[in-house]
Amino acid sequence: MVEQLNDLDATFGALSDPSRRAMLAELTLGERSVSDLAAPLSMSLAGASKHVQVLERAGLVRRRKHGRQQMIALDAARLKRAHDWLDKYRVFWSSAHYALEQALKEEKSDEHGRSA
Amino acid sequence: MVEQLNDLDATFGALSDPSRRAMLAELTLGERSVSDLAAPLSMSLAGASKHVQVLERAGLVRRRKHGRQQMIALDAARLKRAHDWLDKYRVFWSSAHYALEQALKEEKSDEHGRSA
DNA sequence: TAATTGCTCAACCATAGGGTTGAGTATATC
DNA sequence: GATATACTCAACCCTATGGTTGAGCAATTA
């Protein structure tokens, strides 16, 4: 269980804000301009622009100039990295592990029941 | 693709720090005291204690008093939530999706090749 | 009872984060 | 050429975050 690369810092940091998660959700529907992404957010354009920059620095989106628009597209590779990281913990939320936890609890009760 | 609950803010926020991810990794090996968690981190005990509090507020760990020690245990339910959220993006990093992206690029080239 | 251990809390510091407004730049339209 | 559009940048504000030290409390050990 070794820490691989710390762009996880940036990835998880970017994902910790609901406005940015909303942007990513919007981007699953296709490329969007910064204004498109800003529209549903009740926030200044400059504010939304900063969120896009955070997503870009985290490598979660790419941008492409198209005239005076900046077209933003999802780049899911880092999401996969985060998903992979979380996947290492799968056993700890799986039913098998809950069963193990129960078994350990019973074992502990037995210890109390016995002499020790 | 609707945002479900915003404890994702706290979960992803907690995961964005390498010290806290290291703590979680350590906790996969079993319960640990705050001092145990602090030891490998080259940080004051108070500092580590604050990290544990962040993990606890995010619901990623539980604590149990054991004498004068605070035993910390992993609670993976919120990790599952985060994993589930990321899973919605799986199609965007799957090879099928890359194939789709390629197809779209070719289509765009065709447009240039044709009259439009 | 006294001393030690395992913490937490409060105060503080420096930096980052989320937001704003105002100005500036580049492209598109009239 | 003038104007509107789609941004970005800089400055600023306030709050949060990551870290420290010093004090204090609760439980264990001597």
CSV table of all heavy atoms in Angstrom, one decimal, chain B residues 62-116:
chain,number,residue,atom,x,y,z
B,62,ARG,N,-13.1,6.3,12.7
B,62,ARG,CA,-13.8,6.4,14.0
B,62,ARG,C,-12.8,6.4,15.1
B,62,ARG,O,-11.7,5.9,14.9
B,62,ARG,CB,-14.7,5.1,14.2
B,62,ARG,CG,-16.0,5.2,13.4
B,62,ARG,CD,-16.6,3.8,13.2
B,62,ARG,NE,-15.8,2.9,12.4
B,62,ARG,CZ,-15.6,1.6,12.6
B,62,ARG,NH1,-16.1,1.0,13.6
B,62,ARG,NH2,-14.8,1.0,11.7
B,63,ARG,N,-13.2,6.8,16.3
B,63,ARG,CA,-12.2,6.8,17.4
B,63,ARG,C,-12.9,6.1,18.6
B,63,ARG,O,-14.1,6.1,18.8
B,63,ARG,CB,-11.6,8.1,17.7
B,63,ARG,CG,-12.5,9.1,18.5
B,63,ARG,CD,-12.1,10.5,18.3
B,63,ARG,NE,-10.7,10.7,18.6
B,63,ARG,CZ,-9.9,11.7,18.1
B,63,ARG,NH1,-10.4,12.4,17.1
B,63,ARG,NH2,-8.7,11.9,18.4
B,64,ARG,N,-12.0,5.5,19.4
B,64,ARG,CA,-12.5,4.7,20.6
B,64,ARG,C,-11.5,5.0,21.7
B,64,ARG,O,-10.3,4.9,21.5
B,64,ARG,CB,-12.4,3.3,20.1
B,64,ARG,CG,-12.9,2.3,21.2
B,64,ARG,CD,-12.9,0.9,20.5
B,64,ARG,NE,-11.5,0.4,20.2
B,64,ARG,CZ,-10.7,-0.2,21.1
B,64,ARG,NH1,-11.1,-0.4,22.3
B,64,ARG,NH2,-9.5,-0.6,20.7
B,65,LYS,N,-12.0,5.4,22.8
B,65,LYS,CA,-11.1,5.6,24.0
B,65,LYS,C,-10.6,4.3,24.5
B,65,LYS,O,-11.4,3.4,24.7
B,65,LYS,CB,-11.8,6.4,25.1
B,65,LYS,CG,-11.9,7.9,24.8
B,65,LYS,CD,-12.1,8.7,26.1
B,65,LYS,CE,-10.9,8.6,27.0
B,65,LYS,NZ,-11.0,9.6,28.1
B,66,HIS,N,-9.3,4.2,24.8
B,66,HIS,CA,-8.8,3.0,25.3
B,66,HIS,C,-7.7,3.4,26.3
B,66,HIS,O,-6.6,3.7,26.0
B,66,HIS,CB,-8.2,2.1,24.3
B,66,HIS,CG,-7.5,0.8,24.8
B,66,HIS,ND1,-8.3,-0.2,25.4
B,66,HIS,CD2,-6.3,0.4,24.8
B,66,HIS,CE1,-7.5,-1.1,25.8
B,66,HIS,NE2,-6.2,-0.8,25.4
B,67,GLY,N,-8.2,3.6,27.6
B,67,GLY,CA,-7.3,4.2,28.6
B,67,GLY,C,-7.0,5.6,28.2
B,67,GLY,O,-7.9,6.4,27.8
B,68,ARG,N,-5.8,6.0,28.2
B,68,ARG,CA,-5.5,7.4,27.8
B,68,ARG,C,-5.2,7.5,26.3
B,68,ARG,O,-4.8,8.5,25.8
B,68,ARG,CB,-4.3,7.9,28.6
B,68,ARG,CG,-3.0,7.2,28.4
B,68,ARG,CD,-2.0,7.6,29.4
B,68,ARG,NE,-1.0,6.6,29.6
B,68,ARG,CZ,0.0,6.6,30.4
B,68,ARG,NH1,0.2,7.7,31.2
B,68,ARG,NH2,0.9,5.6,30.5
B,69,GLN,N,-5.3,6.4,25.6
B,69,GLN,CA,-5.1,6.4,24.2
B,69,GLN,C,-6.4,6.6,23.5
B,69,GLN,O,-7.5,6.2,24.0
B,69,GLN,CB,-4.4,5.1,23.7
B,69,GLN,CG,-3.1,4.9,24.3
B,69,GLN,CD,-2.4,3.7,23.6
B,69,GLN,OE1,-1.3,3.9,23.0
B,69,GLN,NE2,-3.0,2.5,23.6
B,70,GLN,N,-6.3,7.2,22.3
B,70,GLN,CA,-7.4,7.3,21.4
B,70,GLN,C,-7.2,6.3,20.2
B,70,GLN,O,-6.3,6.6,19.4
B,70,GLN,CB,-7.6,8.7,20.8
B,70,GLN,CG,-7.8,9.8,21.9
B,70,GLN,CD,-9.2,9.8,22.3
B,70,GLN,OE1,-10.1,9.4,21.6
B,70,GLN,NE2,-9.4,10.3,23.5
B,71,MET,N,-7.9,5.2,20.2
B,71,MET,CA,-7.6,4.3,19.1
B,71,MET,C,-8.5,4.7,17.9
B,71,MET,O,-9.7,4.9,18.0
B,71,MET,CB,-8.0,2.8,19.5
B,71,MET,CG,-7.2,2.4,20.7
B,71,MET,SD,-5.4,2.6,20.5
B,71,MET,CE,-5.1,1.3,19.2
B,72,ILE,N,-7.8,4.8,16.8
B,72,ILE,CA,-8.4,5.2,15.5
B,72,ILE,C,-8.6,4.1,14.6
B,72,ILE,O,-7.6,3.3,14.4
B,72,ILE,CB,-7.5,6.3,14.8
B,72,ILE,CG1,-7.0,7.4,15.8
B,72,ILE,CG2,-8.2,7.0,13.7
B,72,ILE,CD1,-8.1,8.2,16.5
B,73,ALA,N,-9.7,4.0,14.0
B,73,ALA,CA,-10.0,2.9,13.0
B,73,ALA,C,-10.6,3.4,11.7
B,73,ALA,O,-11.3,4.4,11.7
B,73,ALA,CB,-11.0,1.9,13.7
B,74,LEU,N,-10.2,2.8,10.7
B,74,LEU,CA,-10.7,3.2,9.4
B,74,LEU,C,-12.2,2.9,9.3
B,74,LEU,O,-12.7,1.9,9.8
B,74,LEU,CB,-10.0,2.3,8.3
B,74,LEU,CG,-10.2,2.6,6.8
B,74,LEU,CD1,-9.7,4.0,6.5
B,74,LEU,CD2,-9.5,1.5,6.0
B,75,ASP,N,-12.9,3.8,8.7
B,75,ASP,CA,-14.3,3.7,8.4
B,75,ASP,C,-14.5,4.0,6.9
B,75,ASP,O,-14.5,5.1,6.4
B,75,ASP,CB,-15.2,4.6,9.2
B,75,ASP,CG,-16.7,4.4,9.0
B,75,ASP,OD1,-17.0,3.6,8.1
B,75,ASP,OD2,-17.5,4.9,9.8
B,76,ALA,N,-14.6,2.9,6.1
B,76,ALA,CA,-14.5,3.0,4.6
B,76,ALA,C,-15.8,3.4,3.9
B,76,ALA,O,-15.7,3.6,2.7
B,76,ALA,CB,-13.9,1.7,4.1
B,77,ALA,N,-16.9,3.6,4.6
B,77,ALA,CA,-18.1,3.9,3.9
B,77,ALA,C,-18.0,5.1,3.0
B,77,ALA,O,-18.5,5.1,1.9
B,77,ALA,CB,-19.2,4.0,5.0
B,78,ARG,N,-17.4,6.2,3.5
B,78,ARG,CA,-17.3,7.4,2.7
B,78,ARG,C,-16.4,7.2,1.6
B,78,ARG,O,-16.5,7.9,0.5
B,78,ARG,CB,-16.9,8.6,3.6
B,78,ARG,CG,-17.8,8.9,4.7
B,78,ARG,CD,-19.1,9.6,4.2
B,78,ARG,NE,-20.1,9.7,5.3
B,78,ARG,CZ,-20.1,10.7,6.2
B,78,ARG,NH1,-19.3,11.7,6.1
B,78,ARG,NH2,-21.1,10.8,7.1
B,79,LEU,N,-15.4,6.4,1.8
B,79,LEU,CA,-14.5,6.1,0.6
B,79,LEU,C,-15.3,5.4,-0.5
B,79,LEU,O,-15.0,5.7,-1.6
B,79,LEU,CB,-13.3,5.2,1.1
B,79,LEU,CG,-12.3,5.8,2.1
B,79,LEU,CD1,-11.3,4.8,2.5
B,79,LEU,CD2,-11.7,7.0,1.5
B,80,LYS,N,-16.2,4.5,-0.1
B,80,LYS,CA,-17.0,3.9,-1.1
B,80,LYS,C,-17.8,4.9,-1.8
B,80,LYS,O,-18.0,4.9,-3.1
B,80,LYS,CB,-17.9,2.9,-0.4
B,80,LYS,CG,-19.0,2.3,-1.4
B,80,LYS,CD,-19.7,1.1,-0.8
B,80,LYS,CE,-21.0,0.7,-1.6
B,80,LYS,NZ,-20.7,0.6,-3.1
B,81,ARG,N,-18.4,5.9,-1.1
B,81,ARG,CA,-19.2,7.0,-1.8
B,81,ARG,C,-18.3,7.7,-2.8
B,81,ARG,O,-18.8,8.0,-3.9
B,81,ARG,CB,-19.6,8.0,-0.7
B,81,ARG,CG,-20.6,7.5,0.3
B,81,ARG,CD,-22.0,7.9,-0.1
B,81,ARG,NE,-22.9,7.7,1.0
B,81,ARG,CZ,-23.3,8.8,1.8
B,81,ARG,NH1,-22.8,10.0,1.5
B,81,ARG,NH2,-24.1,8.6,2.8
B,82,ALA,N,-17.1,8.0,-2.4
B,82,ALA,CA,-16.2,8.7,-3.3
B,82,ALA,C,-15.9,7.8,-4.6
B,82,ALA,O,-15.9,8.3,-5.7
B,82,ALA,CB,-14.9,9.1,-2.6
B,83,HIS,N,-15.6,6.6,-4.3
B,83,HIS,CA,-15.4,5.6,-5.3
B,83,HIS,C,-16.5,5.5,-6.3
B,83,HIS,O,-16.4,5.5,-7.5
B,83,HIS,CB,-15.1,4.3,-4.7
B,83,HIS,CG,-14.6,3.2,-5.6
B,83,HIS,ND1,-15.4,2.3,-6.2
B,83,HIS,CD2,-13.3,2.9,-6.0
B,83,HIS,CE1,-14.7,1.5,-7.0
B,83,HIS,NE2,-13.4,1.8,-6.9
B,84,ASP,N,-17.7,5.5,-5.7
B,84,ASP,CA,-18.9,5.4,-6.5
B,84,ASP,C,-19.1,6.6,-7.4
B,84,ASP,O,-19.5,6.5,-8.6
B,84,ASP,CB,-20.2,5.3,-5.6
B,84,ASP,CG,-20.3,3.9,-5.0
B,84,ASP,OD1,-19.5,3.0,-5.4
B,84,ASP,OD2,-21.1,3.7,-4.1
B,85,TRP,N,-18.8,7.8,-6.8
B,85,TRP,CA,-18.9,9.0,-7.6
B,85,TRP,C,-17.9,9.0,-8.8
B,85,TRP,O,-18.3,9.3,-9.9
B,85,TRP,CB,-18.5,10.2,-6.7
B,85,TRP,CG,-18.7,11.6,-7.4
B,85,TRP,CD1,-19.9,12.3,-7.5
B,85,TRP,CD2,-17.8,12.3,-8.2
B,85,TRP,NE1,-19.7,13.4,-8.2
B,85,TRP,CE2,-18.4,13.4,-8.7
B,85,TRP,CE3,-16.4,12.1,-8.5
B,85,TRP,CZ2,-17.7,14.4,-9.4
B,85,TRP,CZ3,-15.8,13.0,-9.2
B,85,TRP,CH2,-16.4,14.1,-9.7
B,86,LEU,N,-16.7,8.6,-8.5
B,86,LEU,CA,-15.7,8.5,-9.6
B,86,LEU,C,-16.1,7.5,-10.6
B,86,LEU,O,-15.8,7.6,-11.8
B,86,LEU,CB,-14.3,8.2,-9.0
B,86,LEU,CG,-13.6,9.3,-8.3
B,86,LEU,CD1,-12.5,8.8,-7.5
B,86,LEU,CD2,-13.1,10.3,-9.4
B,87,ASP,N,-16.7,6.4,-10.2
B,87,ASP,CA,-17.1,5.3,-11.1
B,87,ASP,C,-18.0,5.8,-12.2
B,87,ASP,O,-18.0,5.2,-13.3
B,87,ASP,CB,-17.8,4.2,-10.3
B,87,ASP,CG,-17.6,2.9,-10.9
B,87,ASP,OD1,-16.4,2.5,-11.0
B,87,ASP,OD2,-18.6,2.2,-11.3
B,88,LYS,N,-18.8,6.9,-12.0
B,88,LYS,CA,-19.6,7.4,-13.0
B,88,LYS,C,-18.8,7.9,-14.2
B,88,LYS,O,-19.4,8.1,-15.3
B,88,LYS,CB,-20.5,8.6,-12.4
B,88,LYS,CG,-21.5,8.1,-11.4
B,88,LYS,CD,-22.4,9.3,-10.9
B,88,LYS,CE,-21.6,10.4,-10.3
B,88,LYS,NZ,-22.4,11.5,-9.7
B,89,TYR,N,-17.5,8.2,-14.0
B,89,TYR,CA,-16.7,8.7,-15.1
B,89,TYR,C,-15.9,7.6,-15.7
B,89,TYR,O,-15.1,7.8,-16.6
B,89,TYR,CB,-15.7,9.7,-14.5
B,89,TYR,CG,-16.5,11.0,-14.1
B,89,TYR,CD1,-17.1,11.1,-12.8
B,89,TYR,CD2,-16.6,12.1,-15.0
B,89,TYR,CE1,-17.8,12.2,-12.5
B,89,TYR,CE2,-17.3,13.2,-14.6
B,89,TYR,CZ,-17.9,13.3,-13.4
B,89,TYR,OH,-18.6,14.4,-13.0
B,90,ARG,N,-16.1,6.4,-15.3
B,90,ARG,CA,-15.4,5.2,-15.8
B,90,ARG,C,-15.4,5.2,-17.3
B,90,ARG,O,-14.3,5.0,-18.0
B,90,ARG,CB,-16.0,3.9,-15.3
B,90,ARG,CG,-15.3,2.7,-15.8
B,90,ARG,CD,-16.0,1.4,-15.4
B,90,ARG,NE,-16.0,1.2,-14.0
B,90,ARG,CZ,-15.0,0.5,-13.4
B,90,ARG,NH1,-14.0,0.1,-14.1
B,90,ARG,NH2,-15.1,0.3,-12.1
B,91,VAL,N,-16.5,5.4,-17.9
B,91,VAL,CA,-16.6,5.3,-19.4
B,91,VAL,C,-15.7,6.3,-20.1
B,91,VAL,O,-15.2,6.0,-21.2
B,91,VAL,CB,-18.1,5.6,-19.8
B,91,VAL,CG1,-18.5,6.9,-19.5
B,91,VAL,CG2,-18.2,5.3,-21.3
B,92,PHE,N,-15.3,7.4,-19.4
B,92,PHE,CA,-14.5,8.4,-20.0
B,92,PHE,C,-13.0,8.1,-20.0
B,92,PHE,O,-12.2,8.7,-20.6
B,92,PHE,CB,-14.7,9.8,-19.4
B,92,PHE,CG,-16.2,10.2,-19.6
B,92,PHE,CD1,-17.1,10.1,-18.6
B,92,PHE,CD2,-16.6,10.7,-20.8
B,92,PHE,CE1,-18.4,10.4,-18.8
B,92,PHE,CE2,-17.9,11.1,-21.0
B,92,PHE,CZ,-18.8,11.0,-20.0
B,93,TRP,N,-12.6,7.1,-19.2
B,93,TRP,CA,-11.2,6.6,-19.3
B,93,TRP,C,-11.1,5.2,-19.9
B,93,TRP,O,-10.0,4.7,-20.0
B,93,TRP,CB,-10.5,6.7,-18.0
B,93,TRP,CG,-11.0,5.8,-16.9
B,93,TRP,CD1,-10.8,4.4,-16.8
B,93,TRP,CD2,-11.6,6.1,-15.7
B,93,TRP,NE1,-11.3,3.9,-15.7
B,93,TRP,CE2,-11.8,4.9,-14.9
B,93,TRP,CE3,-12.1,7.3,-15.1
B,93,TRP,CZ2,-12.4,4.9,-13.7
B,93,TRP,CZ3,-12.7,7.3,-13.8
B,93,TRP,CH2,-12.9,6.1,-13.2
B,94,SER,N,-12.3,4.6,-20.1
B,94,SER,CA,-12.2,3.2,-20.7
B,94,SER,C,-11.8,3.3,-22.1
B,94,SER,O,-11.9,4.3,-22.8
B,94,SER,CB,-13.6,2.6,-20.6
B,94,SER,OG,-14.5,3.2,-21.5
B,95,SER,N,-11.2,2.1,-22.6
B,95,SER,CA,-10.7,2.1,-24.0
B,95,SER,C,-11.8,2.3,-25.0
B,95,SER,O,-11.6,2.9,-26.0
B,95,SER,CB,-10.1,0.7,-24.2
B,95,SER,OG,-11.0,-0.3,-23.9
B,96,ALA,N,-13.0,1.9,-24.6
B,96,ALA,CA,-14.2,2.1,-25.5
B,96,ALA,C,-14.3,3.6,-25.8
B,96,ALA,O,-14.6,4.1,-26.9
B,96,ALA,CB,-15.5,1.6,-24.9
B,97,HIS,N,-14.2,4.4,-24.7
B,97,HIS,CA,-14.4,5.9,-24.9
B,97,HIS,C,-13.2,6.5,-25.7
B,97,HIS,O,-13.4,7.4,-26.5
B,97,HIS,CB,-14.5,6.6,-23.5
B,97,HIS,CG,-14.8,8.0,-23.7
B,97,HIS,ND1,-13.8,9.0,-23.5
B,97,HIS,CD2,-15.9,8.6,-24.0
B,97,HIS,CE1,-14.4,10.2,-23.8
B,97,HIS,NE2,-15.7,10.0,-24.0
B,98,TYR,N,-12.0,6.0,-25.5
B,98,TYR,CA,-10.9,6.5,-26.3
B,98,TYR,C,-11.2,6.2,-27.8
B,98,TYR,O,-11.0,7.0,-28.7
B,98,TYR,CB,-9.6,5.9,-25.9
B,98,TYR,CG,-9.1,6.4,-24.6
B,98,TYR,CD1,-8.5,5.6,-23.7
B,98,TYR,CD2,-9.2,7.8,-24.3
B,98,TYR,CE1,-8.0,6.1,-22.5
B,98,TYR,CE2,-8.8,8.3,-23.1
B,98,TYR,CZ,-8.2,7.5,-22.2
B,98,TYR,OH,-7.7,8.0,-21.0
B,99,ALA,N,-11.7,5.0,-28.1
B,99,ALA,CA,-12.1,4.7,-29.4
B,99,ALA,C,-13.1,5.7,-30.0
B,99,ALA,O,-13.0,6.1,-31.1
B,99,ALA,CB,-12.7,3.2,-29.5
B,100,LEU,N,-14.1,6.0,-29.1
B,100,LEU,CA,-15.1,7.0,-29.5
B,100,LEU,C,-14.5,8.3,-29.9
B,100,LEU,O,-14.8,9.0,-30.9
B,100,LEU,CB,-16.1,7.1,-28.4
B,100,LEU,CG,-17.2,8.2,-28.7
B,100,LEU,CD1,-18.1,7.8,-29.9
B,100,LEU,CD2,-18.2,8.3,-27.5
B,101,GLU,N,-13.5,8.7,-29.0
B,101,GLU,CA,-12.9,10.0,-29.2
B,101,GLU,C,-12.1,10.0,-30.6
B,101,GLU,O,-12.2,11.0,-31.3
B,101,GLU,CB,-11.8,10.3,-28.1
B,101,GLU,CG,-12.4,11.0,-26.9
B,101,GLU,CD,-11.4,11.6,-26.1
B,101,GLU,OE1,-10.2,11.1,-26.0
B,101,GLU,OE2,-11.6,12.6,-25.4
B,102,GLN,N,-11.5,8.9,-30.9
B,102,GLN,CA,-10.8,8.8,-32.2
B,102,GLN,C,-11.8,8.9,-33.3
B,102,GLN,O,-11.5,9.7,-34.3
B,102,GLN,CB,-10.1,7.4,-32.3
B,102,GLN,CG,-8.8,7.3,-31.3
B,102,GLN,CD,-7.9,8.5,-31.5
B,102,GLN,OE1,-7.5,8.8,-32.6
B,102,GLN,NE2,-7.4,9.1,-30.4
B,103,ALA,N,-12.9,8.2,-33.2
B,103,ALA,CA,-13.9,8.3,-34.2
B,103,ALA,C,-14.4,9.7,-34.4
B,103,ALA,O,-14.6,10.2,-35.6
B,103,ALA,CB,-15.1,7.4,-33.8
B,104,LEU,N,-14.6,10.4,-33.4
B,104,LEU,CA,-15.1,11.8,-33.5
B,104,LEU,C,-14.0,12.7,-34.2
B,104,LEU,O,-14.3,13.6,-34.9
B,104,LEU,CB,-15.4,12.4,-32.1
B,104,LEU,CG,-16.6,11.8,-31.4
B,104,LEU,CD1,-16.8,12.3,-30.0
B,104,LEU,CD2,-17.9,12.2,-32.2
B,105,LYS,N,-12.7,12.4,-33.8
B,105,LYS,CA,-11.7,13.2,-34.5
B,105,LYS,C,-11.7,13.0,-36.0
B,105,LYS,O,-11.6,13.9,-36.8
B,105,LYS,CB,-10.3,12.8,-33.9
B,105,LYS,CG,-10.0,13.5,-32.6
B,105,LYS,CD,-8.6,13.1,-32.1
B,105,LYS,CE,-8.4,13.6,-30.7
B,105,LYS,NZ,-7.2,12.9,-30.1
B,106,GLU,N,-11.8,11.7,-36.4
B,106,GLU,CA,-11.9,11.4,-37.9
B,106,GLU,C,-13.1,12.1,-38.5
B,106,GLU,O,-13.0,12.6,-39.6
B,106,GLU,CB,-12.0,9.9,-38.0
B,106,GLU,CG,-10.7,9.1,-37.8
B,106,GLU,CD,-10.8,7.6,-38.1
B,106,GLU,OE1,-11.6,7.3,-39.0
B,106,GLU,OE2,-10.1,6.9,-37.4
B,107,GLU,N,-14.2,12.1,-37.8
B,107,GLU,CA,-15.4,12.7,-38.3
B,107,GLU,C,-15.1,14.2,-38.6
B,107,GLU,O,-15.5,14.7,-39.6
B,107,GLU,CB,-16.5,12.6,-37.3
B,107,GLU,CG,-17.9,12.7,-37.9
B,107,GLU,CD,-19.0,12.3,-36.8
B,107,GLU,OE1,-19.1,11.2,-36.4
B,107,GLU,OE2,-19.6,13.3,-36.4
B,108,LYS,N,-14.4,14.8,-37.7
B,108,LYS,CA,-14.1,16.2,-37.8
B,108,LYS,C,-13.2,16.4,-39.0
B,108,LYS,O,-13.4,17.4,-39.8
B,108,LYS,CB,-13.4,16.7,-36.5
B,108,LYS,CG,-13.6,18.2,-36.3
B,108,LYS,CD,-13.2,18.6,-34.9
B,108,LYS,CE,-14.2,18.1,-33.8
B,108,LYS,NZ,-13.7,18.5,-32.4
B,109,SER,N,-12.2,15.5,-39.2
B,109,SER,CA,-11.3,15.6,-40.4
B,109,SER,C,-12.2,15.5,-41.7
B,109,SER,O,-11.9,16.2,-42.6
B,109,SER,CB,-10.3,14.4,-40.4
B,109,SER,OG,-9.6,14.5,-39.1
B,110,ASP,N,-13.1,14.6,-41.6
B,110,ASP,CA,-14.0,14.4,-42.8
B,110,ASP,C,-14.7,15.7,-43.2
B,110,ASP,O,-14.8,16.1,-44.3
B,110,ASP,CB,-15.1,13.3,-42.5
B,110,ASP,CG,-14.5,11.9,-42.6
B,110,ASP,OD1,-13.2,11.8,-42.9
B,110,ASP,OD2,-15.2,10.9,-42.3
B,111,GLU,N,-15.2,16.4,-42.1
B,111,GLU,CA,-15.9,17.7,-42.4
B,111,GLU,C,-15.0,18.6,-43.1
B,111,GLU,O,-15.4,19.3,-44.0
B,111,GLU,CB,-16.3,18.3,-41.0
B,111,GLU,CG,-17.6,17.7,-40.5
B,111,GLU,CD,-17.9,18.2,-39.1
B,111,GLU,OE1,-17.4,19.3,-38.8
B,111,GLU,OE2,-18.6,17.5,-38.4
B,112,HIS,N,-13.7,18.7,-42.7
B,112,HIS,CA,-12.7,19.5,-43.4
B,112,HIS,C,-12.5,19.0,-44.8
B,112,HIS,O,-12.4,19.8,-45.8
B,112,HIS,CB,-11.4,19.6,-42.6
B,112,HIS,CG,-11.5,20.5,-41.5
B,112,HIS,ND1,-11.1,21.8,-41.5
B,112,HIS,CD2,-11.9,20.2,-40.2
B,112,HIS,CE1,-11.3,22.3,-40.3
B,112,HIS,NE2,-11.7,21.4,-39.5
B,113,GLY,N,-12.5,17.7,-45.0
B,113,GLY,CA,-12.3,17.1,-46.3
B,113,GLY,C,-13.4,17.4,-47.3
B,113,GLY,O,-13.2,17.7,-48.4
B,114,ARG,N,-14.6,17.4,-46.7
B,114,ARG,CA,-15.8,17.7,-47.5
B,114,ARG,C,-15.9,19.2,-47.7
B,114,ARG,O,-15.0,20.0,-47.5
B,114,ARG,CB,-17.1,17.2,-46.8
B,114,ARG,CG,-17.2,15.6,-46.8
B,114,ARG,CD,-18.6,15.2,-46.6
B,114,ARG,NE,-19.2,15.8,-45.4
B,114,ARG,CZ,-19.1,15.3,-44.2
B,114,ARG,NH1,-18.5,14.1,-44.0
B,114,ARG,NH2,-19.7,15.8,-43.1
B,115,SER,N,-17.1,19.6,-48.2
B,115,SER,CA,-17.3,21.0,-48.5
B,115,SER,C,-17.3,21.9,-47.3
B,115,SER,O,-16.7,23.0,-47.3
B,115,SER,CB,-18.7,21.2,-49.2
B,115,SER,OG,-19.7,20.7,-48.4
B,116,ALA,N,-18.0,21.5,-46.2
B,116,ALA,CA,-18.1,22.3,-45.0
B,116,ALA,C,-16.8,22.5,-44.4
B,116,ALA,O,-16.7,23.2,-43.4
B,116,ALA,CB,-19.1,21.6,-44.0
